Amino acid sequence: MVNSRDSLDLAPFASPDAKAVEWLISDAPVPYPEAVAIMDARAAAIAAGEAPELVWLLEHPPLYTSGTSGKPGDMLETRFPVFETGRGGQVTYHGPGQRVVYLMLDLKRRRPDVRAYVAGLEEWIIRTLDAFNVRGERREDRVGVWVRRPDKGAGHEDKIAAIGVRLRRWVSFHGIAINVEPELSHFSAIVPCGVVDPRYGVTSLVDLGLPVTMEDVDVALRRAFEGVFGATGARLPETTV
């Protein structure tokens, strides 16, 4: 079933008076506690009017995170460090080959609507995937972006991108993760995002047969972001955070 979030009007997120969002790409894997500390500090500064909005693209070393809806049974095997986190959602894997994007946006100024914000993130991912001729879709009962897999059988679908957000004083942090070329076997140690139906798995752009690089995805992400959320500024040096 197609998600009713498809019908939401996303135009207010890209208001013409919004300032350009800072854009940062980290080349080396970022430890999870370090990333959370940076997000916390930046979100607080944005809420206080002391810093501009930021979109941060990075990769993590192999790890698992458990969101506010996480359950002990979702962790089948502890292969890598596990971090409890304040984002929404359940258990997921992060690691090399996965483009993680953390967004620190002032939704009070843009549009204070959590449901519409999640729909905006989904739309951003869908437009990014479309650049590679991949049709990503929303689902009514499953947050994230999915692709149909008729090659695996009737009704089979795989998740290609996850979403987990948190808000503090209407400033967002955490964000999205798109599977470019991660080691998909690492997802087998968890129940990804609590989805137990065997028809629903996990995939990546490379798993779908696309020879896509992380740099290719970054270009598509930026172009699609500006179509949903508005202008971005010049890429920042890593010393900024």
Side-chain angles (χ1 to χ4, degrees), residues 1-10 13 101 103 105 113-131 134-147 159-165 175-178 220-221 224-225 227-229:
M1 182 183 297
V2 176
N3 200 297
S4 60
R5 292 189 298 276
D6 280 316
S7 62
L8 287 173
D9 179 14
L10 304 179
F13 280 116
V101 189
L103 301 93
L105 302 179
D113 185 329
V114 178
R115 186 165 171 268
Y117 176 58
V118 171
L121 295 177
E122 291 172 332
E123 181 66 20
W124 178 29
I125 295 166
I126 289 168
R127 295 188 188 189
T128 299
L129 296 175
D130 186 63
V134 173
R135 183 178 178 181
E137 298 179 307
R138 300 175 175 91
R139 290 295 175 259
E140 184 68 35
D141 56 344
R142 289 173 271 135
V143 174
V145 175
W146 299 77
V147 294
K159 192 171 193 175
I160 195 167
I163 296 174
V165 303
I176 70 171
I178 298 178
L221 276 165
F225 179 90
V228 177
F229 292 100

Side-chain angles (χ1 to χ4, degrees), residues 10-195:
L10 304 179
F13 280 116
S15 56
D17 61 341
K19 296 180 180 178
V21 177
E22 291 189 340
W23 194 265
L24 175 65
I25 303 176
S26 290
D27 295 322
V30 180
Y32 191 75
E34 178 182 328
V36 171
I38 290 171
M39 280 192 290
D40 280 345
R42 185 58 171 254
I46 292 169
E50 298 170 352
E53 297 174 309
L54 174 68
V55 174
W56 183 16
L57 290 71
L58 66 147
E59 293 174 83
H60 286 304
L63 58 91
Y64 299 109
T65 64
S66 180
T68 54
S69 301
K71 303 173 183 177
D74 291 339
M75 182 60 61
L76 306 178
E77 180 184 343
T78 308
R79 298 180 189 171
F80 304 114
V82 181
F83 296 93
E84 300 290 333
T85 179
R87 62 156 175 80
Q90 294 174 274
V91 175
T92 194
Y93 165 76
H94 294 309
Q98 183 188 69
R99 176 50 86 208
V100 173
V101 189
Y102 292 138
L103 301 93
M104 286 138 275
L105 302 179
D106 186 354
L107 300 188
K108 186 175 182 179
R109 177 172 59 81
R110 289 174 172 268
R111 181 179 177 183
D113 185 329
V114 178
R115 186 165 171 268
Y117 176 58
V118 171
L121 295 177
E122 291 172 332
E123 181 66 20
W124 178 29
I125 295 166
I126 289 168
R127 295 188 188 189
T128 299
L129 296 175
D130 186 63
F132 307 104
N133 295 313
V134 173
R135 183 178 178 181
E137 298 179 307
R138 300 175 175 91
R139 290 295 175 259
E140 184 68 35
D141 56 344
R142 289 173 271 135
V143 174
V145 175
W146 299 77
V147 294
R148 299 175 190 261
R149 297 300 302 268
D151 54 308
K152 292 185 174 183
H156 282 251
E157 299 180 348
D158 284 345
K159 192 171 193 175
I160 195 167
I163 296 174
V165 303
R166 185 177 182 183
L167 301 179
R168 182 180 297 146
R169 295 173 62 189
W170 283 110
V171 175
S172 68
F173 50 121
H174 297 280
I176 70 171
I178 298 178
N179 295 331
V180 181
E181 191 180 7
E183 178 52 67
L184 294 178
S185 66
H186 294 333
F187 286 93
S188 66
I190 61 173
V191 179
C193 301
V195 178

